[in-house]
Structure formats: structure tokens, C-alpha cells
Amino acid sequence: MRAKGLMVCASRQHVGKTTSSLAITSGLLKRFQAEMHVSCNMQPTHRAPQKVGFIKPVGQRHVRVGPEMLPSGATEGLRVDKDVVLFKEHFNLTSCEYREMSPVVIPNGYTRDFLDGKIKEDDQIHAIKESYASIEAKNEFVVVEGTGHCGVGSIVNMDNARVASLLGLDIIFVVNGGLGSAFDELALNRLMCEHHGVKIRGVLVNKVKPDKLDMITEYFTKALKRWDIPLVGVVPDASYLSAPTMVDYEQLFSTKLLCGEGQKLSHFNQTTLVAMELSSFIERLHNEKHSKTLFVTHASRVDIILGFIAHGAVHQEMWGAPWRAGLILAGENQNQLDSALLATLKDQSCPILHAPMSTYDAMLQLTNYTAKLSALDKQRTTAAIEHYEPHINFEAVLHEA
């Protein structure tokens, strides 16, 4: 009998666990719908659509969902992991309630409260088990997303391996593209699984250089044989899927756009610091196509800001394409922006925002930033699923032996 759920975990941060979970959920939905149609052809009786549920038992980065989704009397909104919102909205998971999909959320101060005895371990276990059981009862299959690598959550005794053990689930591991380092990271996570008696159902290698696909497939399969673990997929890298938008930068800098709301979901493929003379900046814009460049300059550089704005019409004429660049104005105090300039910016279509920090700190954060999928950016989410799904072996994903 096929198990009704599995957990997706990562070997470390930023390896594509959420994207892989999205693709697995999408593929399973299609698979179960196909099975339903075959069954209906054999027995022409009405059957309810088969469904795939989703739960993230332990979450860290959270958002609030509206009071209308809470029991009557609630006014503040329910706190849920941000990935829960992404899955529920993208797949329209009507068989899953928000309160069940994110049973344990760890905001600031949670770990201290746990260590002080204000939060009980048994309460966490009860919330996770009860939520999973409810979702499992209403769905054909449940995709369970872990939080980071297998050790994440250990401080509150709810690491991923233990959660999988509590729920009786196998794990699919997502590892970063490569061979030696990816396998080494997997080996460490495997020890946590062994400690809790959790089986690894398979491994998915992500973000592999396209010219290395065959090599990684061959040798990762050989390496996994020592543990009798199958390789369930090898996904080629697609850098455009991680290209950030201004929505991402609003979250990164805890700020809002000054203008360009209509282009807040435009993607940027490079970031350039502008600290040069205006004439050099304009010359560069005229000689190079920068339709998807994010420029960064100090808020005091009014000349650069006005030059950026003026280039919009010029870019269309020179390159035959709209000016899709973005601009981040760094500076500890937004009061550095002249009121007349702010009034001018309000009418601009290109996205511009203020980052309340030095230019150096802004560039440092931008350089180290990894964009995540969001419920707001449906286009990128769909593109990511379409890229990943064909590379996953769903027979291996569902195989229990």
C-alpha cells in the first residue's frame, strides 16, 4: 500500500528545497488526477477530485493571514510560515486549512521561551501530529516540507529528522549541484536520519551545470548505491529562477517602493554600483543595454537619479525595448532625498526604492542575498515548477521498497 506522505528536506540552506517541493506537489497532483480518470473510465461513477495536501510542521519565516481565516473573535490574523501561503495560493489547496498547514512557527523569542519552560515539547508534538492527521485524512497524499537541513529545529527538540520520525515519513533529500561536497553534506544529514530511524526515500540533485548532467547522474547514482538510496532526479541550473525582484528588495530592506509599482515584479540579472561622474554614467547607458540591471547609488546623487530617469525614453529609442531597470538609493536617512525630487519620482514607471543604510552595507546585503519564491510572483513560481518537474522520477518518489 502506498504511503500517504513524505518529507522533503535539504542538505543545507539555499539548495532549492521549496522549489523542489512545489514541483513534487505539482507532479503528484497531475499523477493522481490521471489515475482518477483511468478509474472513472473503468467504473463510470462520480468521484471527488483526488487531492494532494501540504504541511510545513516547523516554520521560521512567517507572515500573517487574514482574520477571516481564523475562528470567530480573532482580530490579529494567523501566523503561518511564508511557504504555506505560497503552496495554498498557488495550488488552491482547498482541502488544507491554514491553521493545520503551519502548526509550529518559531518567531523571535520562541527558543528562549522553550528553554525557559514556557513552551512545552508535548504541545509541539500534539500540534504537529494533529495537524498532519487532519490533512492526511482529507487528501490522497501529503507533501511535508522540512525547514533547512536535518538539524534545524534541534534547539526546540523538533529537528526535521525527529518530525519525520514522529509522523512515520520517509525523506527526500535535495542537495546542491556537485559531487564531492554535495555527498559530504548528505552524509552528515543521513546520520541524523539514522539516529531517529528515518528512511531516506531518495535524493534529488539540484542546480547542476547543464554540461555536467550526465556525469552527475552517473556518479551520484554510483555513490548512493553504498546506502541503497535511489537518485530521484537531477535538475539543471537555471539562473533566471533566482533573479530577484523589487518585491524581494522591499522585504530585504524593510521598505516600500518610491515609485514603479507596476514593475515591482520585474526581474534583474545584474547589479551595478554607480559612483562615477554623471557623464560617464550616461555614456555607459548609451553604449550598453541595461534593461534588466539594478543600479545602486547614494541618495544624495541627484544627478545620477535624474540621469537614470531621463534615460527611459532614450533606451526605448536606442534598443527598441522598454526601460526595465531598477534603482536603489542608499543612505541612512530618507530625508536626504529632496522633496521636489520625491515628487518627481512619484510619476516614474521604473521601480525605485530607498535602502536606509550606507552604500557599502546595501551592496553587501545585495551581494549576499538569495531570492526566494513568493506567492506574489506567480510567473516565477510557474516557471520554476515547469523547469523542475520533468527532471523528477515520480515512480522513484512514490516507491517505498
Side-chain angles (χ1 to χ4, degrees):
M1 180 179 178
R2 182 165 58 203
K4 291 194 68 176
L6 62 82
M7 182 180 251
V8 181
C9 291
S11 58
R12 64 175 173 85
Q13 193 177 28
H14 303 321
V15 300
K17 169 177 55 63
T18 299
T19 311
S20 300
S21 298
L22 281 164
I24 289 172
T25 302
S26 175
L28 291 176
L29 279 165
K30 293 173 184 176
R31 182 185 180 92
F32 293 151
Q33 286 301 316
E35 289 180 359
M36 183 192 76
H37 292 317
V38 170
S39 177
C40 285
N41 289 335
M42 295 172 60
Q43 298 178 350
T45 57
H46 176 73
R47 292 182 59 186
Q50 300 190 38
K51 301 168 183 175
V52 175
F54 176 83
I55 180 174
K56 190 163 184 179
V58 180
Q60 290 178 308
R61 296 180 60 188
H62 66 273
V63 295
R64 295 278 185 179
V65 292
E68 69 277 5
M69 301 175 188
L70 292 172
S72 60
T75 57
E76 191 178 24
L78 182 67
R79 183 165 51 199
V80 299
D81 186 271
K82 62 178 184 58
D83 289 339
V84 163
V85 178
L86 171 62
F87 277 77
K88 184 168 176 60
E89 292 193 5
H90 186 82
F91 293 114
N92 188 28
L93 300 180
T94 56
S95 62
C96 304
E97 300 293 334
Y98 271 121
R99 66 178 181 273
E100 302 167 338
M101 299 173 73
S102 191
V104 175
V105 178
I106 304 179
N108 289 336
Y110 186 99
T111 55
R112 294 191 296 272
D113 286 344
F114 177 85
L115 295 173
D116 287 335
K118 298 176 183 177
I119 296 173
K120 304 299 182 184
E121 182 176 345
D122 286 347
D123 292 339
Q124 294 178 136
I125 294 173
H126 176 75
I128 290 172
K129 282 188 169 182
E130 185 177 56
S131 294
Y132 178 79
S134 179
I135 291 176
E136 183 187 43
K138 295 179 289 186
N139 293 277
E140 291 293 314
F141 200 87
V142 184
V143 175
V144 182
E145 184 184 353
T147 303
H149 59 74
C150 259
V152 173
S154 296
I155 188 69
V156 296
N157 287 338
M158 284 293 119
D159 56 83
N160 290 312
R162 186 175 184 220
V163 171
S165 178
L166 288 170
L167 299 179
L169 300 173
D170 294 349
I171 287 179
I172 294 286
F173 265 107
V174 182
V175 303
N176 204 43
L179 190 58
S181 60
F183 194 81
D184 293 345
E185 292 166 358
L186 177 63
L188 292 174
N189 283 271
R190 177 174 168 269
L191 294 176
M192 290 287 292
C193 292
E194 284 190 335
H195 176 71
H196 289 287
V198 173
K199 177 185 173 183
I200 299 177
R201 176 84 59 93
V203 174
L204 189 153
V205 186
N206 188 24
K207 301 180 182 179
V208 176
K209 293 180 180 179
D211 61 340
K212 302 290 185 182
L213 282 175
D214 291 340
M215 183 274 288
I216 291 297
T217 300
E218 178 183 357
Y219 285 98
F220 223 101
T221 299
K222 289 180 178 179
L224 289 173
K225 279 185 177 179
R226 70 185 66 174
W227 296 329
D228 195 26
I229 296 174
L231 185 66
V232 300
V234 179
V235 182
D237 189 28
S239 58
Y240 68 90
L241 294 178
S242 59
T245 68
M246 277 296 188
V247 171
D248 296 312
Y249 294 135
E250 282 183 321
Q251 296 174 353
L252 175 64
F253 296 118
S254 300
T255 187
K256 292 294 182 182
L257 285 174
L258 299 172
C259 59
E261 188 74 17
Q263 291 189 37
K264 68 189 303 179
L265 291 176
S266 295
H267 294 255
F268 304 104
N269 54 24
Q270 62 178 333
T271 301
T272 299
L273 174 65
V274 183
M276 61 191 76
E277 295 294 327
L278 175 62
S279 58
S280 299
F281 178 56
I282 297 301
E283 181 180 358
R284 183 171 183 176
L285 291 179
H286 284 182
N287 294 332
E288 302 172 13
K289 189 176 181 180
H290 286 281
S291 60
K292 291 187 177 181
T293 298
L294 176 70
F295 294 100
V296 182
T297 195
H298 195 269
S300 63
R301 293 296 305 272
V302 177
D303 56 337
I304 296 296
I305 299 170
L306 293 177
F308 172 88
I309 293 171
H311 185 70
V314 177
H315 187 278
Q316 176 71 47
E317 187 174 321
M318 290 182 62
W319 301 99
W323 182 226
R324 299 293 189 187
L327 181 63
I328 289 181
L329 308 176
E332 287 83 352
N333 193 339
Q334 188 169 327
N335 293 333
Q336 292 173 307
L337 293 170
D338 181 76
S339 58
L341 177 62
L342 285 172
T344 301
L345 294 180
K346 288 182 180 179
D347 298 325
Q348 303 306 310
S349 59
C350 283
I352 302 175
L353 63 76
H354 173 255
M357 61 189 64
S358 69
T359 305
Y360 173 82
D361 288 337
M363 285 298 297
L364 188 63
Q365 290 204 29
L366 289 167
T367 301
N368 294 324
Y369 180 67
T370 300
K372 297 294 186 179
L373 293 177
S374 163
L376 294 174
D377 196 346
K378 295 181 180 179
Q379 182 178 351
R380 182 164 62 183
T381 300
T382 299
I385 291 172
E386 291 175 349
H387 176 75
Y388 275 63
E389 194 175 322
H391 299 283
I392 299 174
N393 181 347
F394 285 93
E395 289 292 338
V397 167
L398 291 171
H399 186 62
E400 294 181 78

